[in-house]
PDB file of all heavy atoms in Angstrom:
ATOM      1  N   LYS A  58     -13.287 -19.129  -6.862  1.00  0.00           N
ATOM      2  CA  LYS A  58     -13.577 -18.483  -8.136  1.00  0.00           C
ATOM      3  C   LYS A  58     -12.493 -17.436  -8.423  1.00  0.00           C
ATOM      4  O   LYS A  58     -11.967 -17.354  -9.525  1.00  0.00           O
ATOM      5  CB  LYS A  58     -14.955 -17.827  -8.070  1.00  0.00           C
ATOM      6  CG  LYS A  58     -15.443 -17.383  -9.411  1.00  0.00           C
ATOM      7  CD  LYS A  58     -16.935 -17.102  -9.394  1.00  0.00           C
ATOM      8  CE  LYS A  58     -17.273 -16.095 -10.450  1.00  0.00           C
ATOM      9  NZ  LYS A  58     -17.668 -14.808  -9.904  1.00  0.00           N
ATOM     10  N   ILE A  59     -12.163 -16.681  -7.377  1.00  0.00           N
ATOM     11  CA  ILE A  59     -11.126 -15.673  -7.560  1.00  0.00           C
ATOM     12  C   ILE A  59      -9.815 -16.345  -7.981  1.00  0.00           C
ATOM     13  O   ILE A  59      -9.149 -15.940  -8.906  1.00  0.00           O
ATOM     14  CB  ILE A  59     -10.902 -14.893  -6.237  1.00  0.00           C
ATOM     15  CG1 ILE A  59     -12.087 -13.973  -5.969  1.00  0.00           C
ATOM     16  CG2 ILE A  59      -9.629 -14.077  -6.293  1.00  0.00           C
ATOM     17  CD1 ILE A  59     -12.069 -13.327  -4.611  1.00  0.00           C
ATOM     18  N   LEU A  60      -9.490 -17.462  -7.295  1.00  0.00           N
ATOM     19  CA  LEU A  60      -8.192 -18.089  -7.539  1.00  0.00           C
ATOM     20  C   LEU A  60      -8.066 -18.698  -8.937  1.00  0.00           C
ATOM     21  O   LEU A  60      -6.965 -18.916  -9.408  1.00  0.00           O
ATOM     22  CB  LEU A  60      -7.925 -19.170  -6.481  1.00  0.00           C
ATOM     23  CG  LEU A  60      -7.728 -18.629  -5.068  1.00  0.00           C
ATOM     24  CD1 LEU A  60      -7.481 -19.758  -4.101  1.00  0.00           C
ATOM     25  CD2 LEU A  60      -6.571 -17.644  -5.019  1.00  0.00           C
ATOM     26  N   THR A  61      -9.193 -18.989  -9.574  1.00  0.00           N
ATOM     27  CA  THR A  61      -9.080 -19.578 -10.913  1.00  0.00           C
ATOM     28  C   THR A  61      -8.965 -18.501 -11.993  1.00  0.00           C
ATOM     29  O   THR A  61      -8.868 -18.797 -13.159  1.00  0.00           O
ATOM     30  CB  THR A  61     -10.312 -20.441 -11.243  1.00  0.00           C
ATOM     31  OG1 THR A  61     -11.465 -19.624 -11.057  1.00  0.00           O
ATOM     32  CG2 THR A  61     -10.393 -21.676 -10.373  1.00  0.00           C
ATOM     33  N   ASP A  62      -8.989 -17.250 -11.575  1.00  0.00           N
ATOM     34  CA  ASP A  62      -9.049 -16.172 -12.556  1.00  0.00           C
ATOM     35  C   ASP A  62      -7.828 -15.250 -12.409  1.00  0.00           C
ATOM     36  O   ASP A  62      -7.967 -14.060 -12.171  1.00  0.00           O
ATOM     37  CB  ASP A  62     -10.359 -15.394 -12.311  1.00  0.00           C
ATOM     38  CG  ASP A  62     -10.539 -14.268 -13.290  1.00  0.00           C
ATOM     39  OD1 ASP A  62      -9.964 -14.343 -14.390  1.00  0.00           O
ATOM     40  OD2 ASP A  62     -11.229 -13.289 -12.945  1.00  0.00           O
ATOM     41  N   PHE A  63      -6.634 -15.800 -12.518  1.00  0.00           N
ATOM     42  CA  PHE A  63      -5.445 -14.993 -12.279  1.00  0.00           C
ATOM     43  C   PHE A  63      -5.192 -13.974 -13.388  1.00  0.00           C
ATOM     44  O   PHE A  63      -5.223 -14.298 -14.561  1.00  0.00           O
ATOM     45  CB  PHE A  63      -4.212 -15.878 -12.127  1.00  0.00           C
ATOM     46  CG  PHE A  63      -4.175 -16.572 -10.806  1.00  0.00           C
ATOM     47  CD1 PHE A  63      -4.149 -17.942 -10.724  1.00  0.00           C
ATOM     48  CD2 PHE A  63      -4.187 -15.836  -9.630  1.00  0.00           C
ATOM     49  CE1 PHE A  63      -4.117 -18.587  -9.512  1.00  0.00           C
ATOM     50  CE2 PHE A  63      -4.163 -16.473  -8.411  1.00  0.00           C
ATOM     51  CZ  PHE A  63      -4.132 -17.851  -8.338  1.00  0.00           C
ATOM     52  N   LYS A  64      -4.933 -12.759 -12.965  1.00  0.00           N
ATOM     53  CA  LYS A  64      -4.571 -11.701 -13.904  1.00  0.00           C
ATOM     54  C   LYS A  64      -3.042 -11.640 -13.976  1.00  0.00           C
ATOM     55  O   LYS A  64      -2.364 -12.472 -13.387  1.00  0.00           O
ATOM     56  CB  LYS A  64      -5.127 -10.367 -13.389  1.00  0.00           C
ATOM     57  CG  LYS A  64      -6.627 -10.348 -13.190  1.00  0.00           C
ATOM     58  CD  LYS A  64      -7.334 -10.245 -14.525  1.00  0.00           C
ATOM     59  CE  LYS A  64      -8.806  -9.910 -14.416  1.00  0.00           C
ATOM     60  NZ  LYS A  64      -9.599 -10.613 -13.445  1.00  0.00           N
ATOM     61  N   SER A  65      -2.541 -10.653 -14.670  1.00  0.00           N
ATOM     62  CA  SER A  65      -1.095 -10.539 -14.835  1.00  0.00           C
ATOM     63  C   SER A  65      -0.395 -10.333 -13.493  1.00  0.00           C
ATOM     64  O   SER A  65      -0.692  -9.400 -12.760  1.00  0.00           O
ATOM     65  CB  SER A  65      -0.806  -9.344 -15.742  1.00  0.00           C
ATOM     66  OG  SER A  65       0.553  -9.066 -15.758  1.00  0.00           O
ATOM     67  N   VAL A  66       0.513 -11.237 -13.165  1.00  0.00           N
ATOM     68  CA  VAL A  66       1.366 -11.053 -11.991  1.00  0.00           C
ATOM     69  C   VAL A  66       2.811 -11.300 -12.423  1.00  0.00           C
ATOM     70  O   VAL A  66       3.020 -12.086 -13.356  1.00  0.00           O
ATOM     71  CB  VAL A  66       0.993 -12.024 -10.839  1.00  0.00           C
ATOM     72  CG1 VAL A  66      -0.342 -11.675 -10.254  1.00  0.00           C
ATOM     73  CG2 VAL A  66       1.045 -13.475 -11.264  1.00  0.00           C
ATOM     74  N   PRO A  67       3.797 -10.683 -11.792  1.00  0.00           N
ATOM     75  CA  PRO A  67       3.654  -9.735 -10.699  1.00  0.00           C
ATOM     76  C   PRO A  67       3.010  -8.420 -11.149  1.00  0.00           C
ATOM     77  O   PRO A  67       3.006  -8.097 -12.336  1.00  0.00           O
ATOM     78  CB  PRO A  67       5.102  -9.502 -10.236  1.00  0.00           C
ATOM     79  CG  PRO A  67       5.952  -9.872 -11.385  1.00  0.00           C
ATOM     80  CD  PRO A  67       5.215 -10.915 -12.154  1.00  0.00           C
ATOM     81  N   ARG A  68       2.527  -7.716 -10.165  1.00  0.00           N
ATOM     82  CA  ARG A  68       1.899  -6.426 -10.445  1.00  0.00           C
ATOM     83  C   ARG A  68       2.124  -5.538  -9.206  1.00  0.00           C
ATOM     84  O   ARG A  68       2.078  -6.029  -8.080  1.00  0.00           O
ATOM     85  CB  ARG A  68       0.409  -6.653 -10.689  1.00  0.00           C
ATOM     86  CG  ARG A  68      -0.372  -5.402 -10.944  1.00  0.00           C
ATOM     87  CD  ARG A  68      -1.760  -5.736 -11.473  1.00  0.00           C
ATOM     88  NE  ARG A  68      -1.786  -5.778 -12.925  1.00  0.00           N
ATOM     89  CZ  ARG A  68      -2.746  -6.361 -13.638  1.00  0.00           C
ATOM     90  NH1 ARG A  68      -3.738  -6.969 -13.034  1.00  0.00           N
ATOM     91  NH2 ARG A  68      -2.710  -6.338 -14.946  1.00  0.00           N
ATOM     92  N   ILE A  69       2.342  -4.257  -9.454  1.00  0.00           N
ATOM     93  CA  ILE A  69       2.556  -3.304  -8.341  1.00  0.00           C
ATOM     94  C   ILE A  69       1.659  -2.094  -8.565  1.00  0.00           C
ATOM     95  O   ILE A  69       1.590  -1.582  -9.681  1.00  0.00           O
ATOM     96  CB  ILE A  69       4.026  -2.815  -8.288  1.00  0.00           C
ATOM     97  CG1 ILE A  69       5.001  -3.997  -8.234  1.00  0.00           C
ATOM     98  CG2 ILE A  69       4.255  -1.901  -7.089  1.00  0.00           C
ATOM     99  CD1 ILE A  69       6.471  -3.591  -8.354  1.00  0.00           C
ATOM    100  N   ILE A  70       0.995  -1.643  -7.507  1.00  0.00           N
ATOM    101  CA  ILE A  70       0.288  -0.358  -7.602  1.00  0.00           C
ATOM    102  C   ILE A  70       0.707   0.496  -6.404  1.00  0.00           C
ATOM    103  O   ILE A  70       0.953  -0.024  -5.317  1.00  0.00           O
ATOM    104  CB  ILE A  70      -1.257  -0.500  -7.637  1.00  0.00           C
ATOM    105  CG1 ILE A  70      -1.801  -1.306  -6.445  1.00  0.00           C
ATOM    106  CG2 ILE A  70      -1.717  -1.107  -8.943  1.00  0.00           C
ATOM    107  CD1 ILE A  70      -3.328  -1.299  -6.378  1.00  0.00           C
ATOM    108  N   SER A  71       0.811   1.813  -6.634  1.00  0.00           N
ATOM    109  CA  SER A  71       1.083   2.694  -5.487  1.00  0.00           C
ATOM    110  C   SER A  71       0.506   4.079  -5.715  1.00  0.00           C
ATOM    111  O   SER A  71       0.279   4.496  -6.852  1.00  0.00           O
ATOM    112  CB  SER A  71       2.565   2.754  -5.167  1.00  0.00           C
ATOM    113  OG  SER A  71       3.292   3.040  -6.290  1.00  0.00           O
ATOM    114  N   THR A  72       0.263   4.748  -4.595  1.00  0.00           N
ATOM    115  CA  THR A  72      -0.513   5.985  -4.627  1.00  0.00           C
ATOM    116  C   THR A  72       0.260   7.170  -5.216  1.00  0.00           C
ATOM    117  O   THR A  72       1.454   7.295  -5.007  1.00  0.00           O
ATOM    118  CB  THR A  72      -0.937   6.378  -3.188  1.00  0.00           C
ATOM    119  OG1 THR A  72       0.240   6.410  -2.370  1.00  0.00           O
ATOM    120  CG2 THR A  72      -1.919   5.384  -2.618  1.00  0.00           C
ATOM    121  N   TRP A  73      -0.458   8.007  -5.918  1.00  0.00           N
ATOM    122  CA  TRP A  73      -0.017   9.326  -6.381  1.00  0.00           C
ATOM    123  C   TRP A  73       1.102   9.259  -7.420  1.00  0.00           C
ATOM    124  O   TRP A  73       1.672   8.214  -7.695  1.00  0.00           O
ATOM    125  CB  TRP A  73       0.439  10.205  -5.200  1.00  0.00           C
ATOM    126  CG  TRP A  73      -0.609  10.392  -4.140  1.00  0.00           C
ATOM    127  CD1 TRP A  73      -0.592   9.849  -2.886  1.00  0.00           C
ATOM    128  CD2 TRP A  73      -1.810  11.173  -4.216  1.00  0.00           C
ATOM    129  NE1 TRP A  73      -1.696  10.258  -2.176  1.00  0.00           N
ATOM    130  CE2 TRP A  73      -2.461  11.065  -2.959  1.00  0.00           C
ATOM    131  CE3 TRP A  73      -2.400  11.962  -5.206  1.00  0.00           C
ATOM    132  CZ2 TRP A  73      -3.662  11.702  -2.688  1.00  0.00           C
ATOM    133  CZ3 TRP A  73      -3.602  12.605  -4.921  1.00  0.00           C
ATOM    134  CH2 TRP A  73      -4.206  12.467  -3.671  1.00  0.00           C
ATOM    135  N   ASN A  74       1.449  10.468  -7.897  1.00  0.00           N
ATOM    136  CA  ASN A  74       2.500  10.606  -8.925  1.00  0.00           C
ATOM    137  C   ASN A  74       3.824   9.989  -8.490  1.00  0.00           C
ATOM    138  O   ASN A  74       4.528   9.390  -9.293  1.00  0.00           O
ATOM    139  CB  ASN A  74       2.789  12.091  -9.198  1.00  0.00           C
ATOM    140  CG  ASN A  74       1.632  12.784  -9.883  1.00  0.00           C
ATOM    141  OD1 ASN A  74       0.670  12.138 -10.279  1.00  0.00           O
ATOM    142  ND2 ASN A  74       1.708  14.092 -10.012  1.00  0.00           N
ATOM    143  N   HIS A  75       4.162  10.194  -7.219  1.00  0.00           N
ATOM    144  CA  HIS A  75       5.479   9.688  -6.796  1.00  0.00           C
ATOM    145  C   HIS A  75       5.530   8.155  -6.831  1.00  0.00           C
ATOM    146  O   HIS A  75       6.604   7.566  -6.757  1.00  0.00           O
ATOM    147  CB  HIS A  75       5.915  10.240  -5.438  1.00  0.00           C
ATOM    148  CG  HIS A  75       4.920  10.099  -4.326  1.00  0.00           C
ATOM    149  ND1 HIS A  75       5.110  10.639  -3.075  1.00  0.00           N
ATOM    150  CD2 HIS A  75       3.725   9.469  -4.287  1.00  0.00           C
ATOM    151  CE1 HIS A  75       4.068  10.356  -2.320  1.00  0.00           C
ATOM    152  NE2 HIS A  75       3.230   9.650  -3.031  1.00  0.00           N
ATOM    153  N   GLY A  76       4.353   7.525  -6.983  1.00  0.00           N
ATOM    154  CA  GLY A  76       4.301   6.082  -7.152  1.00  0.00           C
ATOM    155  C   GLY A  76       5.024   5.603  -8.414  1.00  0.00           C
ATOM    156  O   GLY A  76       5.511   4.478  -8.473  1.00  0.00           O
ATOM    157  N   VAL A  77       5.111   6.472  -9.413  1.00  0.00           N
ATOM    158  CA  VAL A  77       5.753   6.058 -10.677  1.00  0.00           C
ATOM    159  C   VAL A  77       7.215   5.701 -10.432  1.00  0.00           C
ATOM    160  O   VAL A  77       7.680   4.608 -10.759  1.00  0.00           O
ATOM    161  CB  VAL A  77       5.620   7.170 -11.748  1.00  0.00           C
ATOM    162  CG1 VAL A  77       6.469   6.872 -12.963  1.00  0.00           C
ATOM    163  CG2 VAL A  77       4.159   7.330 -12.139  1.00  0.00           C
ATOM    164  N   LYS A  78       7.932   6.653  -9.815  1.00  0.00           N
ATOM    165  CA  LYS A  78       9.358   6.408  -9.534  1.00  0.00           C
ATOM    166  C   LYS A  78       9.504   5.235  -8.559  1.00  0.00           C
ATOM    167  O   LYS A  78      10.356   4.377  -8.714  1.00  0.00           O
ATOM    168  CB  LYS A  78       9.973   7.670  -8.921  1.00  0.00           C
ATOM    169  CG  LYS A  78      11.177   8.167  -9.699  1.00  0.00           C
ATOM    170  CD  LYS A  78      11.465   9.668  -9.480  1.00  0.00           C
ATOM    171  CE  LYS A  78      11.454  10.166  -8.073  1.00  0.00           C
ATOM    172  NZ  LYS A  78      12.654  10.295  -7.318  1.00  0.00           N
ATOM    173  N   ALA A  79       8.662   5.241  -7.555  1.00  0.00           N
ATOM    174  CA  ALA A  79       8.752   4.190  -6.523  1.00  0.00           C
ATOM    175  C   ALA A  79       8.479   2.812  -7.134  1.00  0.00           C
ATOM    176  O   ALA A  79       9.176   1.838  -6.832  1.00  0.00           O
ATOM    177  CB  ALA A  79       7.750   4.497  -5.412  1.00  0.00           C
ATOM    178  N   ASN A  80       7.463   2.729  -8.003  1.00  0.00           N
ATOM    179  CA  ASN A  80       7.152   1.452  -8.657  1.00  0.00           C
ATOM    180  C   ASN A  80       8.337   0.949  -9.473  1.00  0.00           C
ATOM    181  O   ASN A  80       8.617  -0.247  -9.499  1.00  0.00           O
ATOM    182  CB  ASN A  80       5.957   1.617  -9.606  1.00  0.00           C
ATOM    183  CG  ASN A  80       4.631   1.374  -8.921  1.00  0.00           C
ATOM    184  OD1 ASN A  80       4.535   1.453  -7.704  1.00  0.00           O
ATOM    185  ND2 ASN A  80       3.613   1.088  -9.694  1.00  0.00           N
ATOM    186  N   ARG A  81       8.989   1.878 -10.153  1.00  0.00           N
ATOM    187  CA  ARG A  81      10.124   1.459 -11.003  1.00  0.00           C
ATOM    188  C   ARG A  81      11.224   0.853 -10.158  1.00  0.00           C
ATOM    189  O   ARG A  81      11.833  -0.151 -10.533  1.00  0.00           O
ATOM    190  CB  ARG A  81      10.652   2.646 -11.812  1.00  0.00           C
ATOM    191  CG  ARG A  81       9.679   3.008 -12.918  1.00  0.00           C
ATOM    192  CD  ARG A  81      10.293   3.905 -13.980  1.00  0.00           C
ATOM    193  NE  ARG A  81       9.326   4.088 -15.049  1.00  0.00           N
ATOM    194  CZ  ARG A  81       8.882   5.260 -15.492  1.00  0.00           C
ATOM    195  NH1 ARG A  81       9.340   6.378 -14.951  1.00  0.00           N
ATOM    196  NH2 ARG A  81       7.991   5.312 -16.456  1.00  0.00           N
ATOM    197  N   VAL A  82      11.481   1.480  -8.996  1.00  0.00           N
ATOM    198  CA  VAL A  82      12.505   0.937  -8.091  1.00  0.00           C
ATOM    199  C   VAL A  82      12.085  -0.460  -7.629  1.00  0.00           C
ATOM    200  O   VAL A  82      12.870  -1.410  -7.649  1.00  0.00           O
ATOM    201  CB  VAL A  82      12.710   1.885  -6.874  1.00  0.00           C
ATOM    202  CG1 VAL A  82      13.630   1.239  -5.840  1.00  0.00           C
ATOM    203  CG2 VAL A  82      13.273   3.226  -7.331  1.00  0.00           C
ATOM    204  N   ALA A  83      10.829  -0.590  -7.241  1.00  0.00           N
ATOM    205  CA  ALA A  83      10.337  -1.884  -6.739  1.00  0.00           C
ATOM    206  C   ALA A  83      10.386  -2.955  -7.837  1.00  0.00           C
ATOM    207  O   ALA A  83      10.799  -4.093  -7.605  1.00  0.00           O
ATOM    208  CB  ALA A  83       8.904  -1.725  -6.215  1.00  0.00           C
ATOM    209  N   TRP A  84       9.980  -2.556  -9.036  1.00  0.00           N
ATOM    210  CA  TRP A  84       9.966  -3.502 -10.169  1.00  0.00           C
ATOM    211  C   TRP A  84      11.377  -4.012 -10.454  1.00  0.00           C
ATOM    212  O   TRP A  84      11.604  -5.207 -10.674  1.00  0.00           O
ATOM    213  CB  TRP A  84       9.372  -2.806 -11.400  1.00  0.00           C
ATOM    214  CG  TRP A  84       9.047  -3.739 -12.510  1.00  0.00           C
ATOM    215  CD1 TRP A  84       9.787  -3.940 -13.639  1.00  0.00           C
ATOM    216  CD2 TRP A  84       7.914  -4.603 -12.611  1.00  0.00           C
ATOM    217  NE1 TRP A  84       9.167  -4.877 -14.440  1.00  0.00           N
ATOM    218  CE2 TRP A  84       8.008  -5.302 -13.830  1.00  0.00           C
ATOM    219  CE3 TRP A  84       6.811  -4.851 -11.786  1.00  0.00           C
ATOM    220  CZ2 TRP A  84       7.069  -6.232 -14.246  1.00  0.00           C
ATOM    221  CZ3 TRP A  84       5.864  -5.782 -12.199  1.00  0.00           C
ATOM    222  CH2 TRP A  84       5.998  -6.467 -13.415  1.00  0.00           C
ATOM    223  N   GLU A  85      12.329  -3.085 -10.433  1.00  0.00           N
ATOM    224  CA  GLU A  85      13.743  -3.428 -10.673  1.00  0.00           C
ATOM    225  C   GLU A  85      14.218  -4.450  -9.629  1.00  0.00           C
ATOM    226  O   GLU A  85      14.876  -5.427  -9.967  1.00  0.00           O
ATOM    227  CB  GLU A  85      14.548  -2.121 -10.545  1.00  0.00           C
ATOM    228  CG  GLU A  85      15.868  -2.048 -11.283  1.00  0.00           C
ATOM    229  CD  GLU A  85      15.791  -2.482 -12.739  1.00  0.00           C
ATOM    230  OE1 GLU A  85      14.798  -2.153 -13.415  1.00  0.00           O
ATOM    231  OE2 GLU A  85      16.745  -3.177 -13.176  1.00  0.00           O
ATOM    232  N   LYS A  86      13.841  -4.212  -8.393  1.00  0.00           N
ATOM    233  CA  LYS A  86      14.230  -5.152  -7.312  1.00  0.00           C
ATOM    234  C   LYS A  86      13.667  -6.541  -7.615  1.00  0.00           C
ATOM    235  O   LYS A  86      14.371  -7.536  -7.497  1.00  0.00           O
ATOM    236  CB  LYS A  86      13.695  -4.677  -5.957  1.00  0.00           C
ATOM    237  CG  LYS A  86      14.356  -3.424  -5.446  1.00  0.00           C
ATOM    238  CD  LYS A  86      15.614  -3.742  -4.655  1.00  0.00           C
ATOM    239  CE  LYS A  86      16.327  -2.462  -4.263  1.00  0.00           C
ATOM    240  NZ  LYS A  86      17.754  -2.624  -4.017  1.00  0.00           N
ATOM    241  N   LEU A  87      12.392  -6.578  -7.993  1.00  0.00           N
ATOM    242  CA  LEU A  87      11.770  -7.881  -8.294  1.00  0.00           C
ATOM    243  C   LEU A  87      12.501  -8.574  -9.437  1.00  0.00           C
ATOM    244  O   LEU A  87      12.787  -9.767  -9.378  1.00  0.00           O
ATOM    245  CB  LEU A  87      10.310  -7.690  -8.722  1.00  0.00           C
ATOM    246  CG  LEU A  87       9.207  -7.659  -7.680  1.00  0.00           C
ATOM    247  CD1 LEU A  87       7.859  -7.716  -8.391  1.00  0.00           C
ATOM    248  CD2 LEU A  87       9.318  -8.783  -6.660  1.00  0.00           C
ATOM    249  N   LYS A  88      12.787  -7.789 -10.485  1.00  0.00           N
ATOM    250  CA  LYS A  88      13.428  -8.371 -11.674  1.00  0.00           C
ATOM    251  C   LYS A  88      14.840  -8.867 -11.350  1.00  0.00           C
ATOM    252  O   LYS A  88      15.359  -9.770 -11.982  1.00  0.00           O
ATOM    253  CB  LYS A  88      13.486  -7.344 -12.818  1.00  0.00           C
ATOM    254  CG  LYS A  88      12.125  -7.038 -13.385  1.00  0.00           C
ATOM    255  CD  LYS A  88      11.516  -8.244 -14.122  1.00  0.00           C
ATOM    256  CE  LYS A  88      10.031  -8.335 -13.923  1.00  0.00           C
ATOM    257  NZ  LYS A  88       9.308  -9.449 -14.431  1.00  0.00           N
ATOM    258  N   ASN A  89      15.456  -8.246 -10.317  1.00  0.00           N
ATOM    259  CA  ASN A  89      16.790  -8.699  -9.910  1.00  0.00           C
ATOM    260  C   ASN A  89      16.728  -9.835  -8.908  1.00  0.00           C
ATOM    261  O   ASN A  89      17.730 -10.175  -8.281  1.00  0.00           O
ATOM    262  CB  ASN A  89      17.596  -7.534  -9.313  1.00  0.00           C
ATOM    263  CG  ASN A  89      17.953  -6.529 -10.394  1.00  0.00           C
ATOM    264  OD1 ASN A  89      18.004  -6.884 -11.571  1.00  0.00           O
ATOM    265  ND2 ASN A  89      18.177  -5.287  -9.997  1.00  0.00           N
ATOM    266  N   GLY A  90      15.547 -10.373  -8.707  1.00  0.00           N
ATOM    267  CA  GLY A  90      15.421 -11.563  -7.876  1.00  0.00           C
ATOM    268  C   GLY A  90      15.205 -11.301  -6.390  1.00  0.00           C
ATOM    269  O   GLY A  90      15.214 -12.221  -5.570  1.00  0.00           O
ATOM    270  N   GLU A  91      15.018 -10.018  -6.023  1.00  0.00           N
ATOM    271  CA  GLU A  91      14.731  -9.720  -4.609  1.00  0.00           C
ATOM    272  C   GLU A  91      13.283 -10.102  -4.309  1.00  0.00           C
ATOM    273  O   GLU A  91      12.444 -10.141  -5.205  1.00  0.00           O
ATOM    274  CB  GLU A  91      14.895  -8.221  -4.341  1.00  0.00           C
ATOM    275  CG  GLU A  91      16.232  -7.654  -4.727  1.00  0.00           C
ATOM    276  CD  GLU A  91      17.273  -7.767  -3.620  1.00  0.00           C
ATOM    277  OE1 GLU A  91      16.974  -8.372  -2.573  1.00  0.00           O
ATOM    278  OE2 GLU A  91      18.384  -7.271  -3.845  1.00  0.00           O
ATOM    279  N   GLY A  92      12.988 -10.324  -3.036  1.00  0.00           N
ATOM    280  CA  GLY A  92      11.623 -10.680  -2.654  1.00  0.00           C
ATOM    281  C   GLY A  92      10.689  -9.472  -2.678  1.00  0.00           C
ATOM    282  O   GLY A  92      11.126  -8.317  -2.762  1.00  0.00           O
TER     283      GLY A  92
END
Side-chain angles (χ1 to χ4, degrees):
K58 192 164 153 250
I59 288 171
L60 293 180
T61 54
D62 181 24
F63 285 121
K64 302 284 193 315
S65 171
V66 291
R68 178 168 268 162
I69 306 173
I70 55 173
S71 51
T72 53
W73 303 109
N74 291 353
H75 52 185
V77 170
K78 236 157 47 96
N80 271 21
R81 287 196 175 124
V82 172
W84 192 258
E85 205 49 39
K86 291 273 175 204
L87 272 190
K88 291 292 144 185
N89 291 336
E91 305 273 5

